[in-house]
Amino acid sequence: MAKRKTNGGAEDGAGSILSTVAGPSVPPHPTRLGPPNPIASQLLEKVTGDEKLAADMPFNATKALEYGEAAYTPHQGETHTPPTSLATAGTSTETVASPKVGDGQPAIGDNALNRPLDRVRVDDSARELTTNQAVPVADNQNSLKAGLRGPTLMEDFILREKITHFDHERIPERVVHARGSAAHGYFESYEDLSDITRAAPFAAAGKRTPVFVRFSTVAGERGSADTVRDVRGFAVKFYTDEGNWDLVGNNMPVFFIQDAMKFPDLIHAVKPEPHNGMPQAASAHDTFWDFASLSPEIAHMLLWHTSDRAIPRSYRMMQGFGVHTFRLVNAQGVSVFCKFHWSPMAGTYSLVWDEAARITGADPDFHRRDLWEAIDSGQFPEWELGLQIFTEEQVAQFPFDILDPTKIVPEEMVAVRTVGKMVLNRNPDNFFAETEQVAFCAAHVVPGVDFSDDPLLQGRLHSYIDTQISRLGGANFHEIPINTPVAQMHNNQRDGLHRQAINRGRVNYEPNSLAGGCPFQAGARGFVSFPEPQHGSKVRGKPELFADHYSQARLFWISQSLTEQRHIIAAFRFELTRVQTSAVRQRVLALLANIDEVLVASVAEGLGMLVPPPLPPAADRPPYDYPPSPGLSLFARPGSMGIRTRRVALLVGANTDLAQARSLYASLLDDGAVPRLIGERIGPVVEISLETAPSVLWDGVIVPDAMPAVGDVTVFEFLKLQYRHGKPLLALGNGAELFKAARIPHTLPHGVPDPGVIVAAAADAIEALASFKAVLAQHRVYARETDPPSV
């Protein structure tokens, strides 16, 4: 037999390497796979490397550490370094480059999805219109027809693609928090908090962590209005260098219910009634108050809900709270309890109800627009983060249970420690891609933050992720760019709807040897749950301290100013007047009778009803007598921003002294306010018309000199509403004639001068404007209100 010529090198087992099934019992070690070519050489290198990597792990050396005493100490997974990067590749052709796959082999150990959002931003400047397959579109005006007057042809793939995409542009909205607005920014830590937590955002003074924050209403649907009476969501996604942390809270520190089992019932009750779909985004209806009157644990939250907290002036001017008690854990495994507080640097301010109701019609996007405009103008909203930190020993002395989400820890018991600042400095590029698709989950925490046994929190840990899977098309919602972490993301989760990652290699399980044990578990460097001891029998129920439903509701009431108490009474009167079922109103009054005599008597009087006997308490334990907590009043936090972002209307007409108006305008701008020249019609001078920007959209009004005192009902109504809603008004020179014509009082109901109605000669404009600014910075003149609480 003629001797076969070879190109040199061993060939035994080459066929097995060229195949994907089976192989000899002894690993083949060919040195060539046929005629030389670069890819064959890489395949050989890959398979040889695979075999070496697998052989390096003859057994799972860490398995024994999962049992007994060793299990109390987290262990790092076993790893081995591949002899070649090709050993962990899925294909030997991974280095083949193209405009689609990129330059070839990725950086080993890198996840290219975790990059700044620049990688997914799209700009259409100077680009042709194309289909979603990048085919240039010749005609975007007409469908393809058989003749100019003929039928449309099914073969028109451009039409079908366009219509199909349009038909599917809406995704299911959130069941709650459907209407929201969001922005990018950062959190900066004031100090190193490693003594109490290993959480990445607090690792060093001055450390900055990117955030994305979404504000929202709760009850309304996506198309509802911003200024309805409702709780506001305050959700912060921290993109930390150890993963994403979602602090998903509200603008109120307590909640309606004590156990997640009741959450569907609460939301069903407050949503539009199922038989007629009304009312939208409102709690003033029978089903909500029927549920509330039969659930006395709601009492504390009802006081917050009927207070001015439920109608904030701006998202930028409301507090945020984590609601629940959390744990902070340091690197040594030592834990403390914590409650989270966000306090706005702009101060805490609200709308009055009549104003809020009118804004709903004038600009249903009032809060969304306010946030966008402030950020787009460089007036970045800021909040300081405060922590209430307390120990197991302190908890044992509290007259309430820290696991009860209807309770607060009064600041007089545990002071709030300010630890950092959050700044929102960038609006989203695309509302849908970012604000709508962002997915928050209470279960998203990082090492150093852990949960308490709060039964409402425990239910939320499941509910959020379950909702996102439904809303965003499956389990891969974390790969939507706004949801991806900046820290590297590596695991063995694969497939599912809308998968974005193209995972390299053949391994999607752990433990493994074919990928060198990677990705490997982090051991003690990873998230370790606090080992809280557990004891007790299985039971459905609540601790005894949960049964105190009224003590903290009374605490909130007695901590409010008289103005705020008037507003709470008016809110209860409004809400219960809309309730048709008298027995429901009766039960609510019986609930209020357990809180305060003045409160229940005033509400009953407003409803034309007698005060009923109080609801029976849920337990024999007597109520706790808290002293007032001044920090619970909105007035306790005036902020430090002055008149920045305040909207001021300058009413101008044909005879207005424009030089003076422009001088006032410039001075307001210098202090960060947002002045506009407003008149009957827009023109060379007038920026916006009265019909487009009614009175409720402004924080104050100025009438410059020579404004004609015409009998314009629209102007009169504008000024009267400014006065009724407590806004500051300034008139200069002849502009005062409008105040007279509109019958704007210069004194308060008890006869003293009204500091917010300022009339001055044109020559005194500088001093008058300074007085106007001082009142504007205080938000309102609440002293104009005349109906005090009565018994």
Side-chain angles (χ1 to χ4, degrees), residues 596-606 609 611 790-791:
D596 185 82
E597 292 180 1
V598 171
L599 171 62
V600 66
S602 300
V603 175
E605 181 183 43
M609 300 174 67
V611 175
S790 59
V791 179

Side-chain angles (χ1 to χ4, degrees), residues 375-390:
I375 295 173
D376 238 27
S377 66
Q379 299 280 13
F380 301 146
E382 299 181 7
W383 289 261
E384 286 191 311
L385 178 62
L387 308 181
Q388 279 184 301
I389 300 166
F390 44 98

Side-chain angles (χ1 to χ4, degrees), residues 212-229:
F212 189 71
V213 182
R214 186 175 185 271
F215 307 102
S216 59
T217 55
V218 172
E221 296 173 5
R222 195 158 56 191
S224 58
D226 278 348
T227 56
V228 296
R229 179 176 294 280

